[in-house]
Amino acid sequence: MATFLYKLGRLSFRRRRWVVAIWLALLVGVGAAAATAGDPAEEEFSLPGTEAQQAFDLLAEEFPQANAEALTTKVVFQAPEGETLNDPANQAAVRAVTDQLATGDKVISVTDFYEGGQLSPDETIGYVEVTYDGSWADVDNDMRDQFASAVEAGTDAGLTVQSSGELVTAEMNMGSGEIIGVVVAAIVLVITFGSLVAAGLPLLTALIGLGIGVAGIGALSATLGLTEMTGILATMIGLAVGIDYALFIASRYRAELMAGHSREEAVGRAAGTAGSAVVFAGLTVVIALSGLAVVGIPILTKMGLSAAATVVVAVLVALTLVPAALGIIGKRIFGRKHRAQNPETGVPTTLGRTGEEDKENFGTRWAKGVLRRPVLVLVASVAGLGLMAAPVASLELGLPDNGTAATDTTQRQAYELLSEGFGPGFNGPLMIVLEAPDGGDVMGSADTIAEAISGLDDVVATAPAFPNEAGNVAMMSVFPGSNPSSAETTDLVAEIRSDLAPQLEAETGVNILVSGQTAAQSDFSQVLSDALVPYLALVVGLAFILLMLVFRSVLVPLKAALGFLLSVLASLGAVVAVYQWGWLGAFGAEPQPIMSMMPIFMIGVVFGLAMDYEVFLVTRMREAHVHGESPHQAIVTGFNLNARVVTAAGIIMISVFAGFMTMGESMVMMMGFGLAMAILLDAFVVRMTIVPAVMGLLGERAWWMPKWLDRILPNVDVEGETLEKYLESTGKGRQAATAKEPEPAGVS
């Protein structure tokens, strides 16, 4: 493969203007397709095979008159202190608000709590529901302005008016997340390369690849049901890996120039060696993200596959567009100060053959320091990560709701008012679906079932059952005494399903299904929990085989997998401490359960990204060892050549992920923090510290592989051994930079 990538890199260099034109045309074409595509799909957390989803599907079939996509928004009123909502003046104010709401665009109905009994027992709090004929995609500024005007009228009359629902949920704002990541990346790249032009190259190529990937998601959003969240997560991952992959190719190119090769030859060698590492690093990320399909949750599958497609684009950009761009910028891959030392070729003369200073760099000193005390370093690092992972023992999973929103939002304040007026469970009632087999009369048993459910400890009330037109299916609401995300409510769901429902079904002959928000959350968490072991086995197993191909070793992939487990558990522990326990003020968020999909999604993403650094760092060690260096010297050489680049790549990826913490969407904020922490720990504790310590302790045994296994595994030659033989056979093995070659047009 190294030879193929070598040829591809040289071809891209020679046909650089065509390559750039093709990528730009692709960007424009996909962007145009995205601009003419339909609106993004709405978030749909369908859970195939679960009881909650079975109930949802039954209701959709048996209650066709209900518009499942209709928007509903709650408006909550509270009377001034010492007054009730039944006071004449307050009644008039409420009716003025509801009358104005009823005149809004696409409004189907507005309930009346004076007739429907939607008043709290003390008559100080009440609510109405506004139903719109349309979906999230139909909401426009006029509808929001009309709604806000009606609410303001109630506030002006002296009432406290808060609201929740789709209409008052702001569209996800990317905020300054991308900008922060790009700015930090630019600073790091300038420091790394010492040249503004060279620093801009990884950014520009990464943004082109990201634009194509995200625009592709937008173009297919309506057709494949890809949500806005899917695009955001693909942006987060695609931007990070796009910059990193371009950085590794460009850095290796500079090193090859310093080794005395011409520009075209240096590009080819960079593509054949660092490009091979990029391919396998990208494959580990794609495997980890695509493996999310085994979970069986459609939205998670779409997120994983979309992000994986963006990573594939980033790899292709690194292998073709980056070599082409390197050809276009010419001498300016080095800073002006270094170019001045050798005006003819632009290659500086005061750097060593690897592109680093002749004196020992930080990577060399760091590796030697770790190798002097490998046992101490290993024990301290593992103990520190283990301590950080301790909070995982108290992990509580759930899905975000209005109770975890920021305290200054109207959604959170509406949630608090409803809890105060009607009890905590009012914000997340259970939906009980009753089905009489063979077309029987379900209402004859509804009262018996409601009475039995009302007798449970955590149930405060039940609403009357509502039948369909045929009378064979009915639904009723059950209001728990605890809030939707509490363990008590989850236990109530389990109690109804496992204990009460079988007994009542035997007595009445009516099938009982428990659904609703809380039940769906419980099912969601259970599906993810059941899928965790198969997912880990699939992803780690495939990546283990891939890493054995890369490193021709059994122990190196094993070490890589164990190091990943340490970093992901420690980062998940940090997420629990910050978001669930509320340390550091949770960056403005209230203490809350960890999102159900967070652990499995972090495992997938972090595993793929962690293997990036493993591949980039250890392949240079493997390359040095293959070319005759001792195991310890190979470790030092690997750090001398790649530690600075891995450090820069880690900082860039951390800044990209951390930038997304500026968004208001709790899922993205939590994911950004978790991924940033995971990369911090994996890049700088596991890969930069534990890896050299373990490799030093293993010595020659690190590269052990059974002979029978070595014979059956194909040789992918990431270290470029066969490439060197190919170059020697073609007489290019020692082609020097002094060889004359055409200077790229317009380059000085």
Side-chain angles (χ1 to χ4, degrees):
M1 184 178 68
T3 304
F4 168 76
L5 294 178
Y6 165 82
K7 295 177 180 179
L8 179 63
R10 294 192 61 170
L11 177 64
S12 299
F13 181 91
R14 290 195 302 270
R15 301 288 184 265
R16 46 188 170 269
R17 300 192 187 283
W18 278 105
V19 171
V20 171
I22 291 171
W23 278 107
L24 291 178
L26 186 59
L27 176 62
V28 172
V30 177
T36 58
D39 295 310
E42 295 183 69
E43 300 284 355
E44 293 182 2
F45 284 93
S46 60
L47 302 169
T50 64
E51 182 170 324
Q53 189 62 46
Q54 183 182 349
F56 288 140
D57 294 342
L58 180 62
L59 291 176
E61 178 182 350
E62 298 296 336
F63 291 85
Q65 72 276 15
N67 183 4
E69 294 185 351
L71 295 175
T72 58
T73 296
K74 276 192 175 74
V75 181
V76 186
F77 300 89
Q78 183 180 38
E81 188 173 355
E83 302 178 17
T84 71
L85 290 176
N86 271 329
D87 292 346
N90 293 332
Q91 280 198 30
V94 170
R95 292 199 182 278
V97 173
T98 56
D99 289 345
Q100 188 171 342
L101 287 170
T103 64
D105 295 346
K106 299 184 182 298
V107 173
I108 299 174
S109 64
V110 181
T111 59
D112 186 340
F113 60 65
Y114 290 117
E115 295 181 3
Q118 293 161 313
L119 270 171
S120 63
D122 62 2
E123 299 181 347
T124 62
I125 297 174
Y127 72 94
V128 299
E129 286 190 348
V130 186
T131 304
Y132 292 84
D133 182 17
S135 62
W136 170 259
D138 298 314
V139 176
D140 55 30
N141 289 333
D142 288 341
M143 294 171 64
R144 296 183 190 276
D145 292 342
Q146 292 164 2
F147 183 87
S149 177
V151 169
E152 186 178 356
T155 303
D156 292 342
L159 301 176
T160 298
V161 187
Q162 304 294 344
S163 52
S164 64
E166 290 92 338
L167 200 70
V168 296
T169 301
E171 295 185 22
M172 281 186 282
N173 178 19
M174 295 298 288
S176 56
E178 290 173 296
I179 298 174
I180 292 174
V182 171
V183 169
V184 174
I187 295 172
V188 173
L189 289 170
V190 169
I191 295 173
T192 302
F193 287 125
S195 165
L196 288 174
V197 174
L201 184 145
L203 285 175
L204 182 60
T205 56
L207 289 174
I208 290 174
L210 176 65
I212 293 171
V214 174
I217 292 172
L220 297 173
S221 60
T223 303
L224 301 181
L226 305 179
T227 64
E228 188 177 9
M229 180 69 71
T230 302
I232 291 174
L233 293 177
T235 299
M236 187 187 302
I237 296 167
L239 182 60
V241 300
I243 296 174
D244 276 6
Y245 294 166
L247 169 62
F248 278 99
I249 298 288
S251 297
R252 185 60 181 258
Y253 169 70
R254 281 164 50 107
E256 295 296 339
L257 286 176
M258 296 305 305
H261 301 292
S262 68
R263 291 197 184 95
E264 183 177 335
E265 183 68 15
V267 163
R269 288 172 176 265
T273 52
S276 297
V278 165
V279 169
F280 281 95
L283 276 176
T284 58
V285 181
V286 169
I287 287 172
L289 292 171
S290 301
L292 291 170
V294 305
V295 179
I297 298 176
I299 190 172
L300 201 57
T301 299
K302 292 174 183 178
M303 286 182 180
L305 293 178
S306 298
T310 307
V311 173
V312 171
V313 174
V315 172
L316 294 176
V317 165
L319 298 177
T320 57
L321 182 58
V322 170
L326 289 171
I328 291 175
I329 67 172
K331 301 175 185 178
R332 288 175 290 184
I333 190 65
F334 295 102
R336 182 176 300 177
K337 176 183 176 182
H338 286 153
R339 294 202 309 270
Q341 299 171 14
N342 190 353
E344 182 179 356
T345 65
V347 179
T349 58
T350 58
L351 299 182
R353 289 178 56 81
T354 63
E356 299 290 342
E357 297 288 347
D358 287 330
K359 63 181 180 180
E360 286 189 349
N361 60 19
F362 175 77
T364 301
R365 294 193 299 272
W366 176 267
K368 289 182 176 179
V370 171
L371 291 174
R372 279 195 291 268
R373 298 286 188 274
V375 175
L376 178 62
V377 169
L378 180 62
V379 171
S381 300
V382 172
L385 292 175
L387 185 63
M388 289 189 65
V392 174
S394 63
L395 175 68
E396 295 179 8
L397 298 177
L399 290 176
D401 58 19
N402 289 334
T404 60
T407 55
D408 60 347
T409 61
T410 187
Q411 297 96 319
R412 175 62 179 272
Q413 294 175 29
Y415 180 97
E416 299 291 351
L417 285 177
L418 291 173
S419 295
E420 179 184 344
F422 301 93
F426 188 83
N427 285 290
L430 305 181
M431 183 189 299
I432 308 297
V433 180
L434 311 177
E435 180 186 24
D438 302 324
D441 180 16
V442 73
M443 295 303 291
S445 304
D447 290 342
T448 301
I449 294 172
E451 183 179 355
I453 293 176
S454 298
L456 298 177
D457 292 339
D458 197 38
V459 175
V460 296
T462 59
F466 178 78
N468 65 345
E469 291 183 1
N472 65 320
V473 175
M475 56 181 174
M476 70 171 68
S477 295
V478 174
F479 298 95
S482 47
N483 65 63
S485 60
S486 67
E488 292 81 3
T489 305
T490 302
D491 292 341
L492 175 62
V493 172
E495 183 179 4
I496 295 175
R497 285 177 170 174
S498 60
D499 298 337
L500 190 60
Q503 176 185 341
L504 292 173
E505 287 174 353
E507 293 177 6
T508 63
V510 173
N511 296 326
I512 301 173
L513 300 173
V514 183
S515 188
Q517 175 186 350
T518 304
Q521 288 181 4
S522 177
D523 289 344
F524 191 62
S525 299
Q526 188 61 49
V527 168
L528 291 173
S529 177
D530 292 343
L532 186 59
V533 173
Y535 174 68
L536 271 175
L538 173 68
V539 171
V540 176
L542 289 176
F544 189 88
I545 295 172
L546 192 65
L547 292 177
M548 280 200 301
L549 293 175
V550 174
F551 298 127
R552 315 303 297 180
S553 166
V554 174
L555 296 180
V556 170
L558 179 62
K559 165 197 60 65
L562 293 176
F564 149 74
L565 290 176
L566 280 173
S567 59
V568 77
L569 286 174
S571 57
L572 192 57
V575 172
V576 172
V578 170
Y579 283 92
Q580 182 177 311
W581 294 356
W583 287 12
L584 307 180
F587 301 103
E590 292 291 307
Q592 58 190 284
I594 305 304
M595 288 178 305
S596 299
M597 70 171 64
M598 184 76 178
I600 200 164
F601 198 86
M602 273 191 65
I603 286 171
V605 175
V606 173
F607 183 81
L609 298 180
M611 295 305 103
D612 275 8
Y613 299 110
E614 181 76 14
V615 170
F616 288 130
L617 195 58
V618 181
T619 49
R620 290 306 290 264
M621 299 180 193
R622 168 73 178 169
E623 184 177 342
H625 184 62
V626 166
H627 290 107
E629 294 187 6
S630 67
H632 273 224
Q633 184 56 43
I635 296 171
V636 175
T637 299
F639 269 74
N640 174 61
L641 299 177
N642 263 11
R644 184 180 184 185
V645 181
V646 168
T647 299
I651 293 173
I652 289 170
M653 196 169 284
I654 291 167
S655 65
V656 170
F657 290 144
F660 283 85
M661 293 167 56
T662 62
M663 291 186 60
E665 174 64 36
S666 60
M667 176 179 177
V668 180
M669 291 172 62
M670 193 181 296
M671 192 68 71
F673 172 79
L675 292 177
M677 182 60 66
I679 297 302
L680 173 66
L681 297 176
D682 195 89
F684 296 108
V685 179
V686 175
R687 308 303 155 190
M688 297 287 287
T689 307
I690 292 179
V691 165
V694 172
M695 297 290 286
L697 290 172
L698 290 175
E700 190 67 41
R701 290 167 295 182
W703 308 112
W704 171 81
M705 175 179 279
K707 292 183 179 179
W708 64 267
L709 184 58
D710 187 51
R711 285 194 300 269
I712 64 175
L713 289 178
N715 185 7
V716 296
D717 186 33
V718 174
E719 65 275 0
E721 185 177 9
T722 59
L723 175 59
E724 286 293 338
K725 294 179 181 178
Y726 168 79
L727 294 175
E728 291 293 338
S729 69
T730 58
K732 298 176 182 177
R734 297 185 180 276
Q735 184 177 352
T738 55
K740 298 299 182 182
E741 60 176 334
E743 186 68 35
V747 172
S748 60

